[in-house]
């Protein structure tokens, strides 16, 4: 979050702070494109048009349109891979239709993914579409970046994602022409089905000389596939694994297949896919159809194994076989996805084979994600109090916190979709546990859209389950989040409800949490006496029930409120004690934040040398911890102290560095710091 989201008060992550930022080094260069297609052929006209537009001085925006399965993604991917050297600052990729359960991906969500890919810490991505657009344009202004926006559904979805750099290029694929992008200077390429010559060329790449030895049968296969690359690729993959099978026999089998629902013109895509499906061994066919119930766009081996209900070592070679058959696409190291038509086909067979087996597979996948999420949360915060039953007697397999965070970022969209799938299955106990287990990750990454989406499901699920402790905890989490966003009426409502539940049930842990959040709300609205009362009561409870780190967090918050009330001596005593405690716990960011608050008080009292020493220590801790947001805050304080003692060059230097850090993450405070710099210009 940006500093302005908090106003003048730096709020604590009062249910529990976590700060595991990667250290900041050189700007990241993302290469996110799917692998180049293996059997790409023809498309000379389209490639020449793309090359020609790239050679112009204008930054090209190209819309590649055509029906499903015609090869739009393959064309765009092949061209961008071939021109990778033209975009040395990276290639970004997103499937804009990857979340059908919740509708297409929103520009706001996509901009968050892109900013993180470009090196912006996830916790520092600004909220709201307008701010994220500004941050993205700033991040790409001087870069040569290529964007592949796959499966776009509208011009409105694409327009906010366009960079301003003249050295960048954007390739959009869509089943629609998206003529509205013409006002943005877009060029248009319409991709049609292959003619007979290109179809035969693609088949020859897959099956070799059989195409020339059986020319009539090869031409008939091309006709039956209607020149559709997805159908030709599936047939080619099937034949490549059966080198002695004649093309004539394949034609007969395809004609005999019952035509079903997936049609395009004269060809039934389902007939083509059914041919390969019926050729699979039973266990492979089962994995194929059950993987299609996976709620997200991508999945790994272990998630596929959960869907199948089989050990991962047995499922992995099946997935590899499905890739060889072109029924599945490998998009990374042990990461897979379906083409949308193939997923529809596989899901159709899952529905037809056994609805009970389908639902059981989905439940296994959902619960696998929850268990893995719990493991990651334990790695982030091993001592935090939980109410979910899956935490009992469980040891996390993640050896390092960074490993857990990497997994959480990679599976982020799958976790959200798994929670939604659990809600669709009426698994209320599972739904609210997703919300509790996501808390540590949320504090690190601050994915607000995800957070509110799962809590909209989780709080009602906890209520229906009758689990009052869970309801209180989730409402307290919401109170904190609303407070950070300065949505104080909503924060007060959720915090008050959490406190009421905990007090009625005699849940002292829940009371302490709710009081802490309500203290933050009162502090944010300026009711400092009420804030002090809530936080003092919360700290007293923590002294009796622990954990000690939570008591130290309360002490820091109490000290900050005391400072706002002008009770400086008391404030400094609280802040120094909290800093010492955080040091004992090894929480370097927490200690630095205590020192920053103490330094601000000391500077106001005229103890400039002491304040400078305090802030210097805080800056050193924050730089080593890799906390750029708090580092920028500390630099602003340090600049103010330097200005107070008349060292304007040092003040300008610190303000400039703070502005750079704020601008890097799209924080609007950069403009305010810029005004301070202008004021100090000689």
């Amino acid at each position: 979050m940006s500093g302005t989201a908090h106003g003048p008060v730096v709020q604590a992550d009062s249910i529990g702070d976590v700060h595991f930022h990667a250290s900041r080094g050189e700007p990241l260069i993302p290469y996110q494109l799917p692998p180049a297609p293996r059997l790409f052929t023809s498309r000379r006209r389209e490639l020449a048009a793309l090359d020609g537009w790239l050679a112009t001085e204008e930054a090209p925006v190209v819309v590649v349109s055509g029906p499903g399965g015609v090869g739009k993604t393959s064309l765009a991917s092949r061209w961008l891979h071939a021109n990778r050297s033209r975009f040395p600052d990276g290639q970004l990729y997103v499937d804009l239709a990857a979340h059908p359960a919740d509708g297409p991906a929103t520009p706001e969500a996509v901009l968050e993914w892109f900013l993180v890919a470009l090196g912006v810490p996830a916790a520092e991505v600004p909220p709201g579409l307008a701010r994220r657009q500004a941050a993205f344009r700033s991040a790409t202004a001087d870069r040569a970046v290529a964007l592949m926006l796959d499966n776009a559904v509208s011009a409105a979805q694409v327009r906010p994602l366009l960079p301003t750099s003249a050295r960048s290029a954007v390739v959009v694929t869509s089943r629609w022409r998206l003529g509205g992008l013409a006002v943005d200077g877009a060029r248009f390429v319409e991709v049609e089905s292959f003619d007979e010559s290109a179809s035969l060329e693609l088949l020859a790449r897959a099956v070799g000389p059989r195409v020339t030895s059986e020319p009539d049968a090869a031409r008939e296969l091309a006709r039956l596939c209607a020149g559709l690359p997805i159908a030709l690729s599936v047939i080619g993959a099937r034949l490549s694994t059966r080198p002695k099978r004649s093309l004539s026999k394949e034609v007969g089998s395809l004609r005999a297949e019952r035509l079903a629902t997936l049609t395009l013109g004269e060809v039934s895509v389902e007939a083509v896919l059914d041919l390969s499906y019926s050729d699979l061994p039973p266990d492979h066919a089962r994995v194929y159809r059950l993987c299609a119930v996976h709620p997200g766009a991508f999945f790994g081996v272990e998630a596929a194994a959960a869907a199948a209900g089989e050990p991962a070592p047995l499922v992995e070679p099946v997935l590899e076989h499905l890739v060889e058959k072109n029924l599945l696409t490998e998009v990374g190291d042990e990461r897979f996805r379906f083409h949308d038509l193939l997923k529809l086909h596989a899901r159709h067979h899952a529905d037809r084979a056994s609805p009970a087996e389908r639902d059981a597979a989905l439940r296994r996948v959902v619960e696998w994600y929850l268990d893995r999420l719990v493991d990651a949360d334990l790695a982030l915060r091993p001592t935090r109090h939980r109410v979910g039953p899956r935490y009992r007697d469980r040891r996390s397999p993640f050896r390092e916190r960074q490993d857990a965070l990497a997994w959480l970022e990679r599976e982020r969209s799958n976790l959200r979709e798994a929670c939604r799938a659990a809600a669709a299955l009426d698994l209320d106990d599972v739904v609210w546990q997703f919300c509790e287990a996501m808390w540590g990750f949320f504090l690190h990454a601050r994915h607000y859209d995800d957070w509110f989406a799962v809590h909209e499901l989780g709080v009602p699920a906890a209520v229906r389950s009758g689990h009052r402790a869970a309801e209180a905890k989730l409402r307290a989490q919401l109170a904190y989040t609303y407070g950070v966003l300065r949505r104080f009426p909503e924060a007060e409502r959720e915090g008050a409800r959490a406190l009421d539940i905990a007090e009625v049930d005699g849940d002292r842990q829940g009371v302490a949490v709710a009081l802490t959040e309500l203290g933050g709300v009162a502090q944010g609205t300026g009711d400092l006496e009420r804030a002090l009362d809530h936080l003092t009561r919360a700290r007293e409870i923590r002294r009796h029930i622990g954990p000690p780190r939570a008591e130290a967090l309360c002490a820091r918050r109490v000290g900050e409120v005391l400072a706002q009330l002008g009770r400086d001596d008391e404030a400094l005593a609280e802040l120094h004690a909290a800093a010492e405690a955080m040091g004992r716990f090894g929480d370097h960011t927490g200690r630095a934040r205590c020192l920053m608050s103490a330094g601000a008080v000391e500077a106001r009292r005229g103890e400039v040398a002491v304040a400078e020493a305090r802030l210097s220590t805080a800056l050193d801790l924050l730089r080593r911890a890799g906390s750029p947001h708090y580092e920028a805050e500390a630099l602003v304080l340090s600049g103010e102290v330097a200005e107070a003692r008349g060292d304007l060059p040092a003040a300008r230097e610190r303000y400039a560095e703070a502005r750079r850090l704020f601008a890097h993450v799209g924080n609007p405070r950069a403009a305010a710091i810029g005004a301070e710099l202008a004021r100090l210009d000689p």
Side-chain angles (χ1 to χ4, degrees), residues 371-634:
D371 286 337
R372 194 69 168 161
L373 174 61
V374 166
D375 290 338
D377 188 45
L378 280 169
L380 295 184
R381 296 295 309 280
T383 61
R384 183 169 65 90
H385 173 76
R386 281 98 167 181
V387 298
R390 291 171 190 262
Y391 285 96
R392 296 170 190 161
D393 302 319
R394 192 178 188 93
R395 296 177 62 87
S396 174
F398 290 102
R399 294 186 177 182
E400 301 290 340
R401 289 169 170 174
Q402 291 297 339
D403 293 338
L405 285 170
W407 183 86
L408 288 162
E409 283 290 357
R410 186 172 65 250
E411 299 291 348
R412 173 189 161 195
S413 62
N414 285 332
L415 291 168
R416 182 186 61 240
E417 298 307 321
C419 183
R420 289 188 173 124
L425 290 172
D426 296 324
L427 302 177
D428 287 336
D429 283 338
V430 172
V431 173
W432 71 254
Q433 287 183 74
F434 266 99
C435 297
E436 181 186 36
M438 284 184 180
W439 176 245
F441 181 45
F442 166 72
L443 288 177
H444 170 80
R446 304 301 174 100
H447 297 306
Y448 290 97
D449 296 341
D450 291 0
W451 191 244
F452 287 123
V454 298
H455 277 68
E456 285 175 1
L457 301 172
V459 172
V463 172
R464 289 192 297 268
S465 298
H467 201 305
R468 287 169 58 83
E471 180 189 350
K473 190 160 197 179
L474 268 57
R475 290 189 184 279
Q477 291 176 175
L478 277 176
Y480 168 79
T481 310
Y482 283 131
V484 168
L485 297 176
R486 304 189 69 78
R487 294 164 60 175
F488 294 123
E490 294 152 298
E492 178 75 32
R493 180 194 68 214
E494 297 296 342
R497 177 58 181 152
L499 180 61
D500 179 63
I501 294 171
E503 287 182 333
V504 169
D505 293 353
D507 178 5
R508 300 181 73 196
Q509 168 75 24
V511 169
V513 169
L515 284 171
T516 303
E517 299 316 318
L518 289 170
V521 175
Q523 186 180 8
T525 58
D527 190 348
L528 299 180
E529 293 292 351
R530 183 165 173 258
L532 185 60
D533 176 67
H534 284 326
L535 293 168
T536 302
R537 289 172 59 195
R539 181 174 60 176
E540 190 61 30
I541 295 172
R542 292 297 187 190
R543 281 176 176 164
H544 288 87
I545 68 171
R549 184 177 175 280
E551 182 185 347
L553 283 170
C554 284
R556 193 199 81 212
R557 298 287 301 283
V558 167
E560 289 168 350
V561 174
L562 287 169
Q564 288 181 274
L565 287 167
R567 296 160 61 177
D568 290 353
D569 290 339
E570 296 170 85
L572 288 172
E574 295 285 0
L575 292 168
H576 292 329
E580 183 181 348
M582 290 296 187
R584 290 197 305 271
F585 304 141
D587 186 343
H588 302 304
T589 302
R591 181 179 171 223
R593 294 179 70 186
C594 295
L595 294 175
M596 287 165 59
S597 295
V601 175
E602 289 157 343
R604 192 178 69 238
R605 285 159 54 112
E607 301 170 8
V608 175
V610 176
E612 278 214 320
R614 202 84 67 197
L615 292 171
S616 177
T617 302
L619 275 168
D620 182 59
L621 289 168
L622 293 168
R623 283 168 176 155
R624 282 189 283 148
S627 299
H629 170 73
Y630 293 123
E631 182 183 340
E633 295 279 5

Side-chain angles (χ1 to χ4, degrees), residues 94 96 104-115 125 128-130 132-133 136 149 153-162 449:
V94 65
L96 291 173
T106 66
E108 187 173 353
V110 174
L111 286 170
E112 180 184 4
W113 305 334
F114 283 174
L115 286 168
V125 173
L129 177 59
R132 289 180 181 177
Q133 274 185 276
F136 180 64
L149 309 179
V153 298
S154 69
Q157 186 189 32
V158 169
R159 190 168 288 115
L161 309 179
L162 301 179
D449 296 341

Side-chain angles (χ1 to χ4, degrees), residues 11-75:
Q11 287 192 336
D13 298 343
S14 48
I15 294 181
D17 287 356
V18 288
H19 304 286
F20 310 126
H21 303 276
S23 60
R24 190 172 63 256
E26 294 298 318
L28 293 182
I29 300 178
Y31 291 104
Q32 300 181 332
L33 293 181
R38 293 180 295 173
L39 295 178
F40 187 84
T41 190
S42 190
R43 304 305 186 197
R44 297 172 185 84
R45 174 186 62 84
E46 294 88 346
L47 290 170
L50 290 167
D51 287 338
W53 290 325
L54 184 60
T56 67
E57 294 183 0
E58 299 178 1
V61 177
V62 181
V63 178
V64 178
S65 61
V70 81
K72 303 180 297 294
T73 299
S74 293
L75 171 64

Side-chain angles (χ1 to χ4, degrees), residues 352-374:
R352 190 165 59 187
S354 170
E357 181 186 51
R358 175 203 62 204
D359 291 347
L362 180 56
R363 178 162 188 160
R364 285 193 300 270
V365 170
V366 164
E367 295 197 347
W368 179 83
Y369 274 112
L370 177 57
D371 286 337
R372 194 69 168 161
L373 174 61
V374 166

